[in-house]
Structure formats: C-alpha cells, structure tokens
Amino acid sequence: MKATLKNEIIKRLVEADGKPISGQQLADEFGISRTAIWKHMKQLQEKGYDFETVKKRGYILTATPDTVDDAKITVALETEKFGHRIIYEESMTSTQTIAHNQAQDGASEGTIVICEEQTAGRGRMMREWKSTKGKGIWMSVIFRPEIPPYEAPQFTLVAAVALTKAIDDVTGVRPEIKWPNDLLIQGKKCTGILTELQADPDRVNAIIMGIGINVNHEQADFDEEIKDIATSLKIVSGKHIDRAALVARILYYLEIYSAQYVKEGFEPIKSEWESYSCTIGSRIRATTLQDVFIGKAIGITKDGVLELQLDDGTIKGIYSADITLEK
Ligand code: BTN
C-alpha cells in the first residue's frame, strides 16, 4: 500500500497534538464526505490506531500500534523524497525480492519496501536472515545513483555511516562499523546491510539496499546458533524503541549521505566512517572467495577498499571478504 489518505489523516491528528478535530473538518480538508472519513477511521482502528471521540468536537488520536506501517513512518518523515513511497505488508517473503521487482518496474529513488516479518529473509552469501515478527526493521531501499557498477560497494559504507548516526540519534547508543556491512554493539551484531545491483556493464540502474536491524528483540528471541553473536537495540539501550521513528531517521540520513556521495565521492565521508569503525587498527582475518589473509587493518582507501598489512609487511587491498577479529 502506498502513501494514502489514511496516512494523511493520521498525520493531521498527530499534528493536532491532542486537540480534537471534527469529522466535518477532516472531510472538508481532504475533500471527501464525513462518511468516507468515518470509514477510514474504522479501518485505522482495525490496524491498531485508537481515537477518543469528543462529543460534537471530534477525534483525538489516543494510541498508535507498535508497527512500521506506512502511516506511522509517514508521520515521522523529514525527507524530501526518501520514504515518500512505501510498500508495506505485515508479512513478506523478502523485502529484497519485492524491491527488485519494483525497481525493474521503474520504482523511483527513495521507494522503500518494509514489513513486520520475512518468511524467506536473506543475508550476504545467500545465508538465511531470521526476521522475527514485529521486533526488527526489515527494509529494502531503492537508489538510482548515476555511478559505474564498480563504485557500488562504496554505497554500503555510506549506508553504514547513515545507519550508525540514525541509531545513535534515536537510541543514544552508537554502534561500531565492522567493514564492510555489519554494525556491532559491544562486539555483537545488531545490523546487517545487503547491497544488490541492477546494472548494465557501464552503469547502475538501481541499487537495492537491504537493511536488517535487530531492534526490540529480547535475548530469548534469538536462535541458539546466533544468540552469542547477536544483540538488539533494546537489549543494549534498555529501552523499547519506536521502530517507525528509527526508519524515518535512517531515511533522513540515507537521503543526505547518498546525495553527498553521488556529488563528491566517498572521500568526504571516509573520516567519519573511520571514526565509527572497529575494524581499523585491529588484527583481523579476511576470508575472500579464494584466500584467507591475516594482518592488521590499517585503513580504507578513498574508494572504500580495506588495506591490510600482512605479517611480512606487504599491504593487501581487500575488496570483498568476511572478516573476523584475530586475538
Ligand atoms: C547480512 O548481514 O548478511 C545482511 C543482512 C540483510 C538483511 C536484510 S532484512 C531486509 C532485507 N531483505 C532481506 O531478505 N534481506 C535484507
């Protein structure tokens, strides 16, 4: 469902800040009948919104559901275009699959696909991505940058900075970036990024960026295999997090940083990336498709390539790998 009148009605009631708005006033503002407004209110109630009806004076919004539905995100949005088209369903196979189809059909930059639960969520290297219902942010964002395909991996680094800042703003906890696509808190993973492309040999048509964030999970929500290496924003901050507000903040930073990247390249964002990184300065093991390299991560290049100083002193540029910290 894309941004609709229902979203606008919710936005209007939120902005009224506890003052009642009459059905007639809403009907006049949106150019529809009072009966149509009443029908929308009923449907919103079915989705978990609640209203107090003050006799002769109108509706006051008294409760919103704990969801990432399009109305909740729309209310919190501060962007010019990101998140202005939202495809939301309670359950999806994978937001990536749906976003790929949307991009193929011409969806514009900033379109997002988001759900409460994925039944076939996927991570990097075709791993399964567990997406517990109502606990996380399972979202794909479509970008249309005018860049050559070989620059696309830098987009992951740009997104990591945007996500770090958004999480810090909303929760007060700042994650660290583990090159290239994980965010960790206290050494445990809270966020993964999956950057996929639709491209011709010399130009990107679309970047489909999958973002998975463990937000309101309790420790018991994690499966046995990942319970020692995964964490959630709630576990580390001790607070229940408004996921829709976090989505809106993420879109705010993604819009700013992706535009800056397309205009000026990665260099101006590099020092910020480095300041958030837990990879640089550490001894790491990098497992590429062909080899394993062990050494000290000494930095990233202006193109986002990880530089590893091997034990014989040589510097190895790592373009793509799974990395783990070595003792
Ligand atoms: C990783 O760390 O391996 C990347 C995980 C990416 C998971 C997200 S959740 C939303 C989007 N849809 C998917 O199927 N995967 C990504």
Side-chain angles (χ1 to χ4, degrees):
M1 195 206 315
K2 60 182 190 176
T4 59
L5 199 54
K6 276 194 243 348
N7 300 354
E8 293 305 319
I9 294 173
I10 289 296
K11 199 167 174 193
R12 184 69 182 83
L13 290 166
V14 168
E15 282 163 1
D17 204 17
K19 289 195 198 73
I21 306 186
S22 71
Q24 188 59 56
Q25 194 176 337
L26 289 170
D28 292 345
E29 282 179 27
F30 294 110
I32 56 174
S33 68
R34 273 178 63 180
T35 318
I37 290 287
W38 181 81
K39 279 189 188 152
H40 282 302
M41 300 307 252
K42 273 225 91 58
Q43 285 169 9
L44 283 163
Q45 262 170 335
E46 279 156 22
K47 289 167 123 205
Y49 292 87
D50 217 350
F51 312 97
E52 191 186 327
T53 38
V54 187
K55 224 173 169 201
K56 294 222 173 84
R57 294 181 59 210
Y59 300 98
I60 300 173
L61 183 65
T62 51
T64 61
D66 181 16
T67 61
V68 284
D69 71 39
D70 41 341
K72 276 208 74 165
I73 295 171
T74 302
V75 165
L77 271 185
E78 306 167 85
T79 54
E80 277 176 20
K81 78 178 163 193
F82 277 56
H84 288 231
R85 175 148 185 255
I86 300 172
I87 296 155
Y88 168 82
E89 299 285 344
E90 202 170 289
S91 182
M92 289 180 176
T93 49
S94 157
T95 58
Q96 279 300 93
T97 309
I98 292 161
H100 268 288
N101 294 339
Q102 288 287 331
Q104 213 103 51
D105 291 348
S108 58
E109 172 155 275
T111 300
I112 70 165
V113 180
I114 188 161
C115 63
E116 303 295 338
E117 150 190 71
Q118 296 184 117
T119 53
R122 52 194 169 80
R124 278 171 85 220
M125 323 256 183
M126 297 313 279
R127 292 184 189 124
E128 181 197 2
W129 181 266
K130 183 91 195 301
S131 319
T132 311
K133 187 170 182 177
K135 299 276 175 164
I137 292 175
W138 323 125
M139 163 167 86
S140 299
V141 183
I142 297 174
F143 295 86
R144 300 274 188 192
E146 293 202 1
I147 57 169
Y150 67 85
E151 281 184 12
Q154 295 171 27
F155 238 82
T156 307
L157 308 183
V158 174
V161 171
L163 287 167
T164 300
K165 288 183 75 111
I167 291 172
D168 190 4
D169 283 3
V170 173
T171 69
V173 178
R174 183 191 289 172
E176 292 182 310
I177 304 173
K178 181 178 154 228
W179 184 92
N181 73 325
D182 290 348
L183 302 189
L184 311 183
I185 302 177
Q186 295 157 5
K188 294 184 176 184
K189 180 160 168 172
C190 64
T191 300
I193 305 169
L194 179 66
T195 306
E196 295 179 328
L197 282 191
Q198 290 179 4
D200 294 331
D202 56 349
R203 78 179 274 270
V204 165
N205 294 321
I207 290 181
I208 317 298
M209 181 163 298
I211 296 169
I213 309 180
N214 300 329
V215 182
N216 286 322
H217 298 61
E218 309 290 347
Q219 199 59 53
D221 291 317
F222 294 116
D223 284 351
E224 193 59 31
E225 316 89 76
I226 60 165
K227 76 175 192 344
D228 294 331
I229 52 169
T231 193
S232 78
L233 303 181
K234 181 176 182 187
I235 291 171
V236 291
S237 70
K239 295 183 290 208
H240 184 90
I241 307 297
D242 181 341
R243 288 176 297 141
L246 179 54
V247 168
R249 202 68 186 153
I250 290 168
L251 294 172
Y252 170 77
Y253 282 121
L254 281 177
E255 182 167 277
I256 292 175
Y257 278 96
S258 63
Q260 184 186 11
Y261 171 71
V262 168
K263 226 160 119 196
E264 302 168 32
F266 182 60
E267 188 135 36
I269 304 167
K270 178 175 173 287
S271 58
E272 204 167 359
W273 187 93
E274 282 168 339
S275 73
Y276 298 151
S277 160
C278 61
T279 308
I280 308 307
S282 304
R283 191 170 162 75
I284 62 159
R285 170 188 295 260
T287 308
T288 67
L289 280 179
Q290 295 84 20
D291 287 299
V292 176
F293 300 99
I294 296 174
K296 184 176 175 190
I298 55 171
I300 49 169
T301 67
K302 67 173 180 33
D303 301 320
V305 177
L306 181 68
E307 291 187 306
L308 203 59
Q309 183 165 39
L310 306 180
D311 292 342
D312 65 5
T314 53
I315 310 288
K316 174 87 193 151
I318 307 284
Y319 289 82
S320 171
D322 248 6
I323 65 164
T324 48
L325 294 183
E326 281 277 294
K327 299 273 147 56

